[in-house]
Amino acid sequence: MANETRWPFMSQTVRSEVEIQSEFLDGESIYGNGTKTGRASSQILCGFLTVEADERGDLVLKRTTDLGKTFTTIHEDIYSFGYIGAFLFFSVMEDSRSPRVMYFSSDQGESFSRALLPSASTEQFYSILDGDEDMLFMHVDNPGDTFFGTMYTSDDRGILFSKSLERHLFDGLRKSDFTNITSLRGVYLTNKLDQDNRIRSVISFNRGGTWRQLNKPDNVDCDAQVQKCNLHIHGEHSRNNRMVPMVTLSDSTAIGLVIAHGTVGDSLSSSQHPDVFVSTDGGYNWRGTLRGPHHYSILDSGGLVVAVEAHHEGQVKTIKFSTDEGQCWKSYNFTEQPFFFAGLASEPGTKAMSVSVWGFRPEDDGQPMWVAVTIDFQSLITRECTDRDYQDWLAHSDPSGGDLERNGCVLGAKEVYRRRKKQSVCRNGRGFAVIKKQHSCLCTREDFLWYTCVFAIEQQCLAPL
């Protein structure tokens, strides 16, 4: 079940994660002396000149449709540019005394329109938090060193923006806790800095239309003196401060499954020990599942979850695993010789049944040796799932029923997924594909206030109630 590999230790430092240089600088995508291609390979946007801090604003943005034979200048005095989802964008300082403004294109650079957003001074920044084919999430920094700003959501052109969340947390390192919960449509999670200077977690189930605090986990209680008891999630802000080793984890193949570090109380606590919490319905309800910080990974399209306890100085030899989405856990000793943990890795995606635990171990001669142990769970979970192991699940639904016509209706659509039963001990396998049935439903007035309510196939919705 476990296979160990060793090789010489070549570095004086051990990192628990691979650091990749971010495409975002000061909250914006920025490139220089190079190219970044859009969806069409024959269309290229280029930024010329160097990208030193005192020269940003001198960039020239050009476009080519013939693989570099000819170029058309889109705009000069560019501060930054890039793309996300279906949108190309750039920010520009039209003169040295003017604040920066944003321009977006949803037609691969054929035309750009100025975004209806508050302008930003040189002391402020924009940050595109997330984007897809239909909309953008944008953070606009507040003036001064406030560590918060305002979040906006766009229309499908990237021009008209609506205020989504005030006092959105953005720490001194310009890191946001904003997370797209990819296991369920329309769900986003982030933290805000309230007026009492406490950090509190909020979640949206309608693509930023409304936000609310997270429900208290079913199996965890607050101290008696706590008046408002909610779950609060640790994000990038906490990971940068080494409070937790991982941020929130979800995947589009593991429907409804969310794994995160958090604390229960009135607000996010730095003094309270973070634990691991799991939601199986996309963030509506939560359950405490592991004590203390852990490294975790989703395997077999959500049919298997693995975790290794985070030891700052100790050695590891045990991996925990769950076949019922974190309700129950079993332990497996994957080595007789423990080693200092450095990372938990599996192949991209969640279809694999194996995971590698790697780190280093001091040898008899005193020299450390890299160690990687690959654990294959196929030898443990041998049965392939059959039709009887699956059941239909209505996303965004209220288990109590309520209004049957409205139950599960979000932004004009109801979605029914085929999910593996929690009590079934079987593997989904590499051929597993998410099966979804989607139906249109009545939009509410709230849907129209925040968005053009869109049914994914017809891009239309029924009349509001």
Side-chain angles (χ1 to χ4, degrees):
M1 184 173 173
N3 180 36
E4 180 175 312
T5 304
R6 299 188 301 166
W7 66 97
F9 189 89
M10 301 297 292
S11 173
Q12 297 300 313
T13 60
V14 176
R15 302 302 299 266
S16 61
E17 61 187 65
V18 177
E19 291 189 354
I20 302 175
Q21 184 174 359
S22 173
E23 294 180 351
F24 290 84
L25 178 61
D26 289 345
E28 299 177 281
S29 290
I30 185 164
Y31 311 92
N33 285 339
T35 62
K36 191 71 174 179
T37 59
R39 289 180 296 170
S41 60
S42 62
Q43 300 191 35
I44 304 175
L45 293 179
C46 295
F48 293 93
L49 304 181
T50 57
V51 194
E52 299 297 334
D54 57 350
E55 294 178 352
R56 292 173 63 186
D58 292 335
L59 291 170
V60 178
L61 184 61
K62 297 185 177 184
R63 177 174 180 263
T64 177
T65 59
D66 55 11
L67 297 177
K69 294 179 181 179
T70 60
F71 285 87
T72 302
T73 297
I74 295 175
H75 209 290
E76 298 180 352
D77 305 319
I78 297 294
Y79 195 84
S80 63
F81 74 98
Y83 72 84
I84 186 169
F87 300 93
L88 298 165
F89 67 89
F90 65 85
S91 69
V92 61
M93 298 180 67
E94 294 174 340
D95 65 61
S96 59
R97 295 170 295 177
S98 298
R100 274 179 295 150
V101 293
M102 294 289 297
Y103 285 82
F104 284 91
S105 171
S106 57
D107 56 10
Q108 301 184 42
E110 289 284 350
S111 61
F112 282 83
S113 299
R114 179 172 172 174
L116 299 179
L117 276 167
S119 57
S121 69
T122 54
E123 296 179 353
Q124 296 172 265
F125 62 89
Y126 295 112
S127 178
I128 298 178
L129 303 170
D130 192 50
D132 55 24
E133 300 299 310
D134 299 322
M135 64 174 292
L136 293 162
F137 282 85
M138 174 76 78
H139 174 96
V140 180
D141 183 42
N142 270 32
D145 296 328
T146 60
F147 300 132
F148 66 85
T150 302
M151 186 195 303
Y152 294 85
T153 54
S154 78
D155 63 1
D156 58 359
R157 301 168 300 164
I159 299 174
L160 181 62
F161 282 78
S162 302
K163 186 181 293 186
S164 176
L165 180 67
E166 294 182 321
R167 301 189 68 87
H168 180 234
L169 178 68
F170 229 96
D171 68 13
L173 298 175
R174 294 187 176 176
K175 296 288 186 180
S176 169
D177 292 341
F178 183 87
T179 304
N180 179 3
I181 304 300
T182 57
S183 59
L184 196 62
R185 177 180 68 97
V187 184
Y188 294 85
L189 175 69
T190 194
N191 284 324
K192 58 183 296 191
L193 182 64
D194 282 332
Q195 292 185 351
D196 59 1
N197 287 324
R198 292 179 179 269
I199 298 173
R200 294 183 175 90
S201 296
V202 288
I203 193 168
S204 174
F205 297 103
N206 56 3
R207 303 183 79 185
T210 55
W211 298 84
R212 71 191 199 195
Q213 287 190 273
L214 280 67
N215 291 332
K216 182 188 79 68
D218 298 332
N219 61 338
V220 180
D221 293 321
C222 288
D223 294 336
Q225 66 270 22
V226 176
Q227 295 182 352
K228 294 183 179 180
C229 185
N230 296 94
L231 174 63
H232 301 278
I233 300 298
H234 288 279
E236 286 288 351
H237 179 77
S238 296
R239 184 166 68 169
N240 289 337
N241 288 291
R242 301 185 180 277
M243 296 173 60
V244 296
M246 291 190 66
V247 294
T248 303
L249 180 64
S250 63
D251 192 271
S252 58
T253 63
I255 298 300
L257 182 61
V258 190
I259 310 173
H261 286 98
T263 59
V264 174
D266 174 69
S267 60
L268 195 63
S269 172
S270 59
S271 60
Q272 192 175 347
H273 205 50
D275 296 319
V276 179
F277 296 84
V278 167
S279 173
T280 60
D281 57 5
Y284 284 93
N285 298 287
W286 296 81
R287 181 179 178 84
T289 187
L290 291 171
R291 289 284 188 183
H294 284 71
H295 299 264
Y296 38 74
S297 184
I298 298 173
L299 304 177
D300 192 34
S301 302
L304 179 65
V305 181
V306 297
V308 175
E309 190 171 356
H311 293 283
H312 291 294
E313 297 181 359
Q315 301 184 50
V316 299
K317 65 176 182 179
T318 303
I319 191 169
K320 303 172 185 178
F321 64 95
S322 172
T323 59
D324 55 9
E325 299 178 326
Q327 284 193 334
C328 299
W329 294 84
K330 296 180 180 179
S331 297
Y332 171 70
N333 290 335
F334 55 82
T335 180
E336 295 181 356
Q337 295 179 285
F339 55 81
F340 292 97
F341 178 87
L344 184 69
S346 60
E347 67 181 63
T350 64
K351 292 184 177 294
M353 286 290 294
S354 60
V355 66
S356 295
V357 184
W358 58 281
F360 68 97
R361 179 191 298 138
E363 295 295 294
D364 294 337
D365 59 2
Q367 295 297 317
M369 182 75 82
W370 283 111
V371 179
V373 179
T374 300
I375 306 158
D376 187 358
F377 286 90
Q378 287 191 97
S379 59
L380 178 67
I381 306 172
T382 58
R383 186 173 70 86
E384 294 280 348
C385 294
T386 62
D387 286 343
R388 69 174 183 271
D389 294 303
Y390 295 94
Q391 61 185 2
D392 288 342
W393 177 69
L394 176 61
H396 295 284
S397 60
D398 183 354
S400 63
D403 184 350
L404 294 180
E405 186 175 2
R406 290 290 308 159
N407 194 24
C409 182
V410 172
L411 297 175
K414 285 188 178 185
E415 295 168 329
V416 177
Y417 290 92
R418 193 76 166 159
R419 292 182 68 177
R420 200 202 63 166
K421 299 175 183 177
K422 292 181 182 179
Q423 65 270 25
S424 292
V425 182
C426 59
R427 59 175 186 247
N428 290 312
R430 287 191 176 274
F432 174 82
V434 174
I435 298 176
K436 177 180 70 173
K437 298 177 182 178
Q438 192 173 43
H439 310 280
S440 60
C441 57
L442 292 174
C443 290
T444 65
R445 185 175 301 276
E446 183 180 80
D447 294 326
F448 281 90
L449 286 174
W450 288 98
Y451 300 108
T452 302
C453 184
V454 178
F455 178 45
I457 299 175
E458 301 175 350
Q459 294 201 347
Q460 295 177 352
C461 68
L462 304 179
L465 297 175

